[in-house]
Amino acid sequence: MKIHLQFKILLIILCTSLHPTQACLAQIQETVVALKKLESNVQFTTLSNGMRVIVYPRPIAPVFSGVLAARVGGTDEKLGQSGISHMLEHMAFKGTPEVGTIDYPKEKELLAKLEQLAVRAKSNPTDENLAKEWQLSMEELRKLWVTDQFTREYEKRGSVGMNAYTTSELTAYFVNLPRTVFEFWCYMESERIVNPVMRQFYEERDVVMEERRMRYETDPEGKLYELLLGTVFRAHPYGKPVIGYDFDIKRITATDIEEFHKKFYVPSQLVVSISGDVSLDRDLATLEKYFGRIKVGPVPERPHAVEPPQGGQREVVLNERGSPQTMIAYRKPVYPDPEDPIISVMVEILAGSNLSPLNKALVEQQRVAVSVGASEAPGNAYPNALIFQIVPRTPNDNRVVIEAFDKVIEKFQNSWQDEELLEFAKRSVAMSYLGSLKSSQGLALALASDELLHNNWKASLDWFEKAMNVTSEQVRESSKKYLSKQNRTIARLETKENN
Amino acid sequence: MTKQAAQKKILSKNPKTSFNQVMKFINVVLIVSIFNLSSCVKHKDSLDAEKSFASSGKIAFKNFSSIDDGTATIPSFPYESWTLENGLKVYFVNDPELPVVSSSIFIPGGSFWEKSEERGLYAALGDNMRSGGAGKLSPQDLDREVEKYAASISSSFGQEFGSISSSSLSTDFEKIFSLMCEVLLRPTFNRERLSLWKGQSFEGIRRRVDDPTTVASLAVRQLLVGGTPYGSITLSQDITSITRPKLRALHVRAVIPNNAILAISGNISREQAGIVVQKYLAAWPKASSSLVPPPPFPDQKNSGIVFIEQPLAQATVLIGQLGPERFSSDQYATEIFNQHFGSGGFGSVLMKRIRTELGLAYGVYGSINPGLKKGRTLLHLQTKPESVGEAVAESLNSLEGMKQKEISQSDLIETRKSIANTFIFNFTSPSQVLGRKVQSDLIGYPPNYDQKYLENIRAVTAADIKEVANKRWNYNDFVLVLVGPKTALESLKTAQPRLPSPLNSAKIRMAGFDEVLKLRE
C-alpha cells in the first residue's frame, strides 16, 4: 500500500478532474509526498505483553511528546455507571503507592475502610454514625496524602501541556517533556496503569460534577448537544453523555473504578505513541522494561447494541436561557465503510468555506444565519452522525433557518454539479489533514487513535486516499441517501423568558 | 480517524480553556502563536547526557530523584533578517519539514489608540481588510482564489497591533503572498461585506450575555477602566457608526511600513523569499510619521463587589485589579509567584486547595498578568452556587497565606526548576524561534532577555515572592464580580465576614449586565 499511495491518487485526479488546474495537481502531489515521507518515518512494534508501540522520530529539538491511549470510553459503560471512564481518567492523576502518600500501607488500610463505608452509605444515605465514621477516616487519610504529587513531579521536570481526554471510545493521556526524562515518563505512565491508587476519589467526584455543570448545565449549547445525541441514539450508548448523568456520577465508588480499570486497561487495549527526540532503536528496551510489565488480561467485551432504523424525522425542543440555535443530525456509517470519505468530502463542499452552498445562501445572501458549521460525531467506532449547527441571525428564528437549509439541501440533491468546488474541497481536506500533523503531539495522538480504533495506524492515510478519489456523482448520490428528512433529528434551542 | 474528528465535547482534565477565555476578554496576553502552521525538521545529533538504553535494577520512584535545572541544550535555528528601504523589517527562516510556507505582517497599533468616537474601528479594519475584497478582486473572487489554492489569508487588529497572515503550499508561495499584499495594501471594503460584517457583529454582541465567563470578564474590564481605550467594550452603536470612509482613513493612517515586521517561515529559499518580498512590498510607501505613543493609563475606576444575576446551575467568580507594566523589575518573582500560586498546573496552591482537596471547582486560576503600561491581576473560579462563599473565602485565604508567609525553600526550588525545565519549549522549531524573535521586537524585550532568563529566574528568593504577593494583590482595589443565581449571592453573603477587609464589609452592588456596560462613560 505504501508504494501505491502516491501514484494511485495522482492518476485518479488526472482522470476525474474536468479542469485540472496546475494548482490542483501541485496540492495533491505535495500532500502525498509529505504523507509518504511521514508514513515511512513511523516505527511500529509490539511489546512482549501485546501492547502496541508507535514511534515517530523527529529529533529536531531535545524534547518529545508522549501519549498513552486506551480503547475505552463512554460506550463501554454499564447502565448506571455513565461517566465512569472519564472519572477513571481523572483518577489516573492521583498517584501510586510511591507517589502521593507518606505512608502507603497505612493509607491502603484506611482506603479499604472508607470503601466499606461507601458501600454501606449507598443503602443508608442518611445514617449519621456512618457520616461520623467517614469524617474520622478522612481526617486520618488527609494526614497521609501528598496532594497532587503525581502532577507536580512532572511539572518539576519541565512538563508542558500535560492533560488527558475521554471520548465515547478512547481515553488518552499526553504530555510534552524534555528528552532527558524519557525514562521517568515511562515509569510514571506505566505506574498509573500497574499501580493506581484511588485516593481523594470522593473529592474528585465533586470536581467532575463541577465540570459537568460548566460544560453542560450552564452552557446552552452543551445542553442542546446532549439532548440531540440522546434523541438520535436511543439504543446505542452514543446517546448518553461521556461525562455521565449527575445521578450516576454521584453513585460511582472507588471500587467501581478499580474494577473498570482492571477490565479495560489491559495491554491489548493500550497503545503508547511517542514523537520527537525518540527512536525505536534507542528506546525499545526502556519501553519494554516499564510497559512490558502490564499484566495480560482478557479482551473486554464491547457493546453489542445496534441503533434501530430511524423510521422518520425526530424533533426536540429545549426551552432554555440563551439565544436560539439549531442542530440537525443525519445518521451515517463510519470508516471503513466506503461512504464515510464521500460524506466527509460532501460536508466540506456543503459547509466548509465561504464558497459552500450553505454558507453562501444562509449567511451571505439571505443573511438568516450568523454561521453554519458541520461535524461528524460523537465518535468514530460505531455508525455516527453528521451534525449541522446553525446559529440564526436576529430577527430570524430557527424555523426560518431550517426552511432555508432545506431548500439548499434539496437543490443540492437534485442538481449539484460543480467540479471546481469538488476539487477545492478535496484540496482543503488535504491541507487540513497536513495541518493536523504539524505538532508532535497531534501526530502522536492521531496515530494512537487510528491504531486503537482500526487496528491500523495507517487508517487515516487510507481514508485520505479514498477521499481524494471521490466523484461528484458519488457526492450527489450520498446526499440523496443520507441527507433525507426520514434520516434526521432536529434539536432546537428556543429562548425561555426569565420568570 | 483524525480527519474532522469533531469530538464536539471532548472532556479533558485540564480546564485551562475557560481561563484563556478570561484572558482573551481582559486581554493581557499578546501573541499566542505567530504562524498557523509551525513545523520543523533536520536531523540534529542529540547530545543530551542520557542513557540510550534502559537502566537495569528494580523499578522505583527513588531512581528518579535527581532533577535537572534547565540543562536541556537549546537548538539553534538560524534565521535571517533584513530591512527594506521603507522601514519594513523582514525575518526569514527555512523550515523544510512540510511543503508549506507561512507569512505574517505585524503592524503596531490597535484599539488602545482609539478615540471614544471610533471605538471598535481597529477591529473592524482588521476584519474587513480580508473579507471586503482587495485590488481588482471582488470579495467573492478573493475567496475563490484563496480556496483554489487551498490556502488561507487572514487579517485582524487587536489592542496593540494588527496582523495580516497567509499560509499555502510552498509551490503557491508567490501567488498567495501577492494576494496577501493586495489585502494589506489595497483593501476595497466592499459595501455588501461591510453590512454583512455589521450584522454578524450585532449578533455577536447580542449573544455575549449567554456565556457567564464572558459576562464576568467584560464586567471586570468595565469596572476597572471602562470608558477608556484600555477597557473599551464595543457596543452596537459603535458598530453602527463604522463607515467605509472611516475604514479607508484608518487604513491610510495605520497600515504603514514604519516599524512593521514581516515574518516568513517554511520550505522556500532565502533567495526566493527575498525576491518575492522585494517585488510586492518595496513599493509600500513609508508614512511621514510613526504611531504616536499610547494614551496615558487611567486610574482604576471602581472597587468592591458586584452581583450579576443569572439563573444558572453554576456560579462564576472573577476578581480583578490593575497589575504591573511588562518587564517591571519584579517580573521574574512574578513568574514564580504565578506558577506556584495559581497559573501553573494542578500543582498550584489554588488548584491543590480548591479543586483537589475541597472538590469545589473544576477550574480555579489566579495570576498577575503584566501588560502595556498596566496589566491585570486576576482570580477566576466556577463553582456550584451554594459553594461560592466557601470557594471565595478559601481562595483568598490561600492568597493571604502567600502574603503572610514566605514559601518554603523546597517549593521555591521546585517551582524554579519547573520554569527552567520548560524553557526549552520556546525553541523547539524554526517557526517558533522566529515567532519569539518577532514578539520580542514588537513588545520590546530587554536586551539579552533569553540569554539571561534562567539566571534571572534562579536569582529570585522567597522574600521576593512574598513581596510580589503583597505589592500586586491589594484587597482595597479588588473588583469582585459574581455571576449566578440568587443562591450564589446568599452563599457569598454568608461567607462575607470571613473575607479580608474591606471585602468583609463591602456593600454588594446588584446590577444587570447591560447596566454594567452602560457604566462606561
Side-chain angles (χ1 to χ4, degrees):
Chain A
M1 195 200 94
K2 254 191 202 174
I3 303 159
H4 284 170
L5 192 67
Q6 184 175 7
F7 302 106
K8 207 168 157 191
I9 292 178
L10 280 178
L11 202 68
I12 282 152
I13 293 300
L14 276 168
C15 300
T16 56
S17 168
L18 296 178
H19 312 284
T21 59
Q22 246 186 328
C24 149
L25 288 177
Q27 250 97 44
I28 305 291
Q29 192 173 5
E30 295 256 342
T31 310
V32 169
V33 171
L35 290 177
K36 264 198 65 69
K37 190 168 122 193
L38 182 147
E39 188 183 343
S40 65
N41 283 342
V42 176
Q43 304 173 338
F44 180 88
T45 194
T46 305
L47 301 182
S48 57
N49 56 1
M51 184 166 170
R52 289 161 285 177
V53 172
I54 304 169
V55 181
Y56 189 86
R58 205 177 216 174
I60 181 176
V63 296
F64 74 101
S65 296
V67 171
L68 171 72
R71 172 68 181 86
V72 62
T75 49
D76 297 304
E77 296 161 350
K78 286 193 298 200
L79 190 68
Q81 286 197 342
S82 68
I84 192 170
S85 48
H86 171 246
M87 193 68 229
L88 166 54
E89 176 226 297
H90 276 241
M91 292 311 294
F93 287 82
K94 292 296 179 190
T96 64
E98 293 190 310
V99 179
T101 181
I102 53 167
D103 183 348
Y104 183 63
K106 197 171 166 196
E107 183 193 13
K108 193 177 172 188
E109 229 171 83
L110 282 162
L111 284 174
K113 191 176 161 200
L114 200 66
E115 276 312 288
Q116 287 168 1
L117 295 174
V119 172
R120 280 164 60 198
K122 259 190 183 178
S123 41
N124 307 297
T126 51
D127 189 327
E128 276 181 25
N129 286 333
L130 271 180
K132 223 179 247 168
E133 271 188 75
W134 180 273
Q135 274 315 320
L136 286 174
S137 299
M138 285 300 285
E139 268 163 42
E140 288 298 302
L141 278 164
R142 282 194 194 109
K143 288 179 206 154
L144 304 178
W145 285 334
V146 186
T147 296
D148 284 332
Q149 192 191 353
F150 189 85
T151 45
R152 280 187 76 112
E153 291 298 338
Y154 265 121
E155 284 166 8
K156 281 189 242 180
R157 289 166 177 82
S159 66
V160 168
M162 177 159 168
N163 213 335
Y165 65 65
T166 308
T167 73
S168 47
E169 51 240 358
L170 289 178
T171 308
Y173 304 87
F174 45 92
V175 63
N176 299 293
L177 286 164
R179 165 70 218 192
T180 43
V181 294
F182 177 73
E183 187 169 350
F184 172 76
W185 176 79
C186 294
Y187 166 77
M188 293 289 271
E189 295 304 305
S190 60
E191 276 290 287
R192 65 162 55 157
I193 295 179
V194 177
N195 291 312
V197 175
M198 296 295 123
R199 62 174 63 100
Q200 293 173 312
F201 171 78
Y202 295 92
E203 291 85 347
E204 198 62 26
R205 214 170 57 176
D206 290 340
V207 170
V208 171
M209 290 296 289
E210 291 296 346
E211 184 179 358
R212 191 187 149 79
R213 283 185 195 103
M214 183 190 86
R215 286 184 202 278
Y216 291 88
E217 290 166 28
T218 66
D219 179 4
E221 188 184 323
K223 238 181 189 173
L224 186 68
Y225 184 65
E226 189 175 314
L227 178 67
L228 175 79
L229 291 184
T231 314
V232 176
F233 300 100
R234 309 296 303 274
H236 192 272
Y238 270 167
K240 73 188 166 55
V242 173
I243 199 163
Y245 297 112
D246 52 353
F247 48 82
D248 281 346
I249 299 172
K250 280 182 201 152
R251 282 181 67 88
I252 296 171
T253 64
T255 313
D256 298 333
I257 300 272
E258 271 174 339
E259 284 165 8
F260 192 80
H261 182 268
K262 256 187 216 124
K263 187 170 163 196
F264 287 99
Y265 282 65
V266 291
S268 63
Q269 307 304 311
L270 294 169
V271 163
V272 162
S273 179
I274 49 180
S275 170
D277 192 1
V278 285
S279 78
L280 210 48
D281 272 359
R282 185 177 168 198
D283 300 315
L284 181 59
T286 313
L287 291 163
E288 177 66 44
K289 174 179 174 181
Y290 290 94
F291 293 103
R293 65 202 171 107
I294 299 168
K295 280 202 192 82
V296 176
V299 174
E301 208 184 320
R302 298 291 170 194
H304 57 267
V306 178
E307 188 64 31
Q310 170 107 357
Q313 174 163 301
R314 297 173 197 167
E315 189 160 5
V316 279
V317 175
L318 176 69
N319 274 305
E320 180 58 50
R321 54 170 282 282
S323 315
Q325 61 169 299
T326 293
M327 293 180 185
I328 305 178
Y330 297 92
R331 284 170 54 184
K332 62 171 269 289
V334 287
Y335 179 87
D337 189 297
E339 294 271 10
D340 181 77
I342 301 172
I343 293 171
S344 295
V345 171
M346 176 182 83
V347 176
E348 180 63 34
I349 293 171
L350 266 170
S353 75
N354 280 348
L355 306 179
S356 298
L358 278 172
N359 305 62
K360 236 173 153 172
L362 273 62
V363 179
E364 172 132 26
Q365 289 164 355
Q366 300 169 29
R367 302 194 177 183
V368 293
V370 194
S371 64
V372 182
S375 58
E376 293 168 58
N380 290 299
Y382 308 97
N384 62 7
L386 164 57
I387 302 172
F388 291 95
Q389 184 179 9
I390 314 171
V391 179
R393 180 172 151 182
T394 315
N396 302 285
D397 61 15
N398 287 318
R399 285 285 163 204
V400 173
V401 294
I402 293 169
E403 230 169 81
F405 174 88
D406 282 347
K407 278 194 188 129
V408 174
I409 298 294
E410 202 177 306
K411 193 172 159 210
F412 189 86
Q413 290 167 326
N414 291 333
S415 59
W416 182 77
Q417 174 85 33
D418 186 341
E419 295 302 328
E420 199 185 22
L421 199 52
L422 174 69
E423 291 310 318
F424 291 178
K426 284 185 193 173
R427 276 172 247 166
S428 164
V429 166
M431 279 299 269
S432 57
Y433 183 45
L434 211 54
S436 72
L437 306 175
K438 68 191 176 188
S439 81
S440 288
Q441 186 163 295
L443 186 61
L445 278 166
L447 292 168
S449 72
D450 275 353
E451 181 58 33
L452 283 173
L453 282 182
H454 308 294
N455 294 314
N456 175 15
W457 60 263
K458 293 174 187 167
S460 285
L461 298 171
D462 177 51
W463 177 89
F464 174 76
E465 181 187 6
K466 297 194 160 105
M468 293 303 110
N469 286 348
V470 170
T471 66
S472 53
E473 289 72 28
Q474 286 177 318
V475 168
R476 229 178 18 253
E477 284 313 304
S478 272
S479 75
K480 281 182 205 160
K481 188 166 168 193
Y482 293 102
L483 303 183
S484 74
K485 289 186 180 169
Q486 288 71 35
N487 185 39
R488 77 177 180 186
T489 302
I490 299 176
R492 290 185 280 125
L493 171 69
E494 301 292 359
T495 310
K496 183 174 85 176
E497 297 308 321
N498 280 346
N499 42 16
Chain B
M1 304 289 313
T2 51
K3 46 166 179 167
Q4 304 107 349
Q7 318 278 2
K8 266 201 62 104
K9 288 275 171 181
I10 282 186
L11 303 173
S12 62
K13 178 161 158 48
N14 193 329
K16 196 122 192 184
T17 45
S18 70
F19 192 61
N20 289 342
Q21 201 186 341
V22 172
M23 303 288 272
K24 191 179 92 199
F25 282 108
I26 305 273
N27 233 331
V28 272
V29 185
L30 204 69
I31 303 176
V32 179
S33 106
I34 297 269
F35 297 115
N36 300 329
L37 277 177
S38 67
S39 48
C40 39
V41 123
K42 257 205 285 188
H43 272 252
K44 176 195 157 286
D45 290 332
S46 176
L47 297 172
D48 295 314
E50 190 231 0
K51 282 157 273 171
S52 58
F53 50 86
S55 59
S56 54
K58 196 173 170 294
I59 291 173
F61 181 60
K62 62 175 173 8
N63 297 344
F64 302 99
S65 54
S66 100
I67 299 174
D68 277 358
D69 189 3
T71 49
T73 317
I74 291 180
S76 83
F77 300 107
Y79 57 82
E80 294 187 58
S81 83
W82 61 96
T83 306
L84 302 193
E85 271 177 32
N86 56 14
L88 175 69
K89 184 149 196 195
V90 186
Y91 284 100
F92 168 81
V93 71
N94 176 260
D95 187 349
E97 186 174 34
L98 293 174
V100 293
V101 182
S102 301
S103 314
S104 289
I105 298 169
F106 297 91
I107 299 157
S111 64
F112 283 168
W113 282 263
E114 278 168 3
K115 298 186 185 72
S116 62
E117 68 276 12
E118 55 182 24
R119 215 163 259 147
L121 194 58
Y122 267 97
L125 173 69
D127 292 348
N128 285 286
M129 279 172 74
R130 163 68 180 86
S131 70
K136 291 190 177 113
L137 294 173
S138 71
Q140 290 75 13
D141 290 343
L142 180 59
D143 289 348
R144 188 161 278 266
E145 280 297 291
V146 172
E147 201 64 25
K148 186 161 122 192
Y149 292 92
S152 75
I153 297 180
S154 60
S155 60
S156 69
F157 265 91
Q159 294 177 320
E160 291 183 57
F161 65 91
S163 66
I164 322 301
S165 306
S166 68
S167 75
S168 68
L169 284 174
S170 13
T171 42
D172 307 328
F173 167 64
E174 180 168 354
K175 177 70 195 172
I176 296 303
F177 190 87
S178 70
L179 288 177
M180 176 179 79
C181 292
E182 287 295 290
V183 168
L184 173 79
L185 303 175
R186 285 170 285 278
T188 50
F189 306 114
N190 173 278
R191 200 181 305 273
E192 279 302 300
R193 280 287 170 95
L194 177 61
S195 116
L196 178 64
W197 176 84
K198 284 187 178 186
Q200 310 276 74
S201 302
F202 292 140
E203 194 63 38
I205 288 170
R206 201 173 282 128
R207 285 174 185 257
R208 286 197 294 223
V209 70
D210 290 351
D211 177 53
T213 295
T214 304
V215 169
S217 306
L218 291 178
V220 165
R221 183 158 148 187
Q222 179 67 31
L223 292 162
L224 290 179
V225 278
T228 79
Y230 293 95
S232 87
I233 296 169
T234 309
L235 303 180
S236 296
Q237 59 261 40
D238 302 321
I239 300 295
T240 307
S241 70
I242 286 166
T243 61
R244 295 175 76 204
K246 283 185 187 172
L247 289 174
R248 280 199 214 102
L250 181 62
H251 178 258
V252 169
R253 202 168 79 218
V255 182
I256 54 175
N258 316 25
N259 307 320
I261 297 175
L262 164 65
I264 303 175
S265 148
N267 188 17
I268 51 161
S269 68
R270 155 73 177 86
E271 289 66 36
Q272 198 192 348
I275 291 165
V276 170
V277 169
Q278 187 67 23
K279 184 168 164 190
Y280 294 98
L281 288 174
W284 186 4
K286 188 170 186 153
S288 52
S289 67
S290 297
L291 198 66
V292 295
F297 207 96
D299 291 333
Q300 185 172 323
K301 301 210 157 172
N302 297 279
S303 60
I305 305 176
V306 173
F307 171 62
I308 298 175
E309 187 180 346
Q310 285 197 345
L312 300 166
Q314 191 179 48
T316 298
V317 177
L318 184 61
I319 299 174
Q321 67 172 110
L322 293 182
E325 186 171 12
R326 277 186 206 124
F327 309 118
S328 302
S329 56
D330 57 1
Q331 75 158 105
Y332 300 100
T334 300
E335 277 189 52
I336 296 189
F337 170 88
N338 285 347
Q339 174 81 13
H340 180 71
F341 176 65
S343 78
F346 300 104
S348 74
V349 168
L350 277 179
M351 274 288 220
K352 249 165 86 172
R353 183 69 186 147
I354 308 301
R355 171 170 161 144
T356 314
E357 288 178 359
L358 299 173
L360 287 174
Y362 175 59
V364 52
Y365 291 96
S367 60
I368 301 159
N369 312 286
L372 178 73
K373 294 199 177 262
K374 276 182 191 173
R376 313 286 184 276
T377 294
L378 299 165
L379 196 154
H380 175 241
L381 65 89
Q382 289 172 295
T383 187
K384 57 184 178 295
E386 57 273 29
S387 315
V388 166
E390 174 77 2
V392 170
E394 282 290 343
S395 298
L396 295 184
N397 197 31
S398 295
L399 176 62
E400 184 60 23
M402 297 289 295
K403 285 157 118 3
Q404 293 291 335
K405 230 178 103 193
E406 287 184 7
I407 72 171
S408 72
Q409 275 306 305
S410 65
D411 277 347
L412 174 65
I413 290 166
E414 223 173 72
T415 310
R416 273 194 329 220
K417 283 188 169 181
S418 150
I419 292 175
N421 284 329
T422 53
F423 190 57
I424 174 76
F425 285 98
N426 293 305
F427 310 94
T428 61
S429 73
S431 61
Q432 197 185 18
V433 167
L434 201 67
R436 190 169 175 88
K437 179 64 195 150
V438 170
Q439 171 161 341
S440 132
D441 276 16
L442 275 173
I443 64 175
Y445 279 34
N448 295 320
Y449 181 84
D450 283 343
Q451 287 77 3
K452 289 185 189 158
Y453 181 81
L454 291 179
E455 198 183 308
N456 283 325
I457 285 289
R458 286 179 194 126
V460 173
T461 65
D464 295 338
I465 295 165
K466 185 179 157 192
E467 196 185 317
V468 160
N470 282 292
K471 190 168 162 193
R472 303 299 184 195
W473 295 86
N474 212 324
Y475 303 128
N476 288 313
D477 294 335
F478 272 17
V479 165
L480 186 159
V481 170
L482 168 64
V483 181
K486 281 208 179 72
T487 41
L489 176 65
E490 292 313 313
S491 170
L492 183 64
K493 277 184 179 161
T494 312
Q496 208 180 353
R498 289 165 60 195
L499 304 185
S501 168
L503 297 169
N504 56 359
S505 57
K507 189 172 176 301
I508 301 178
R509 289 153 69 187
M510 321 277 246
F513 182 43
D514 287 344
E515 229 175 295
V516 174
L517 294 188
K518 273 182 209 138
L519 294 171
R520 85 178 196 182
E521 301 315 332

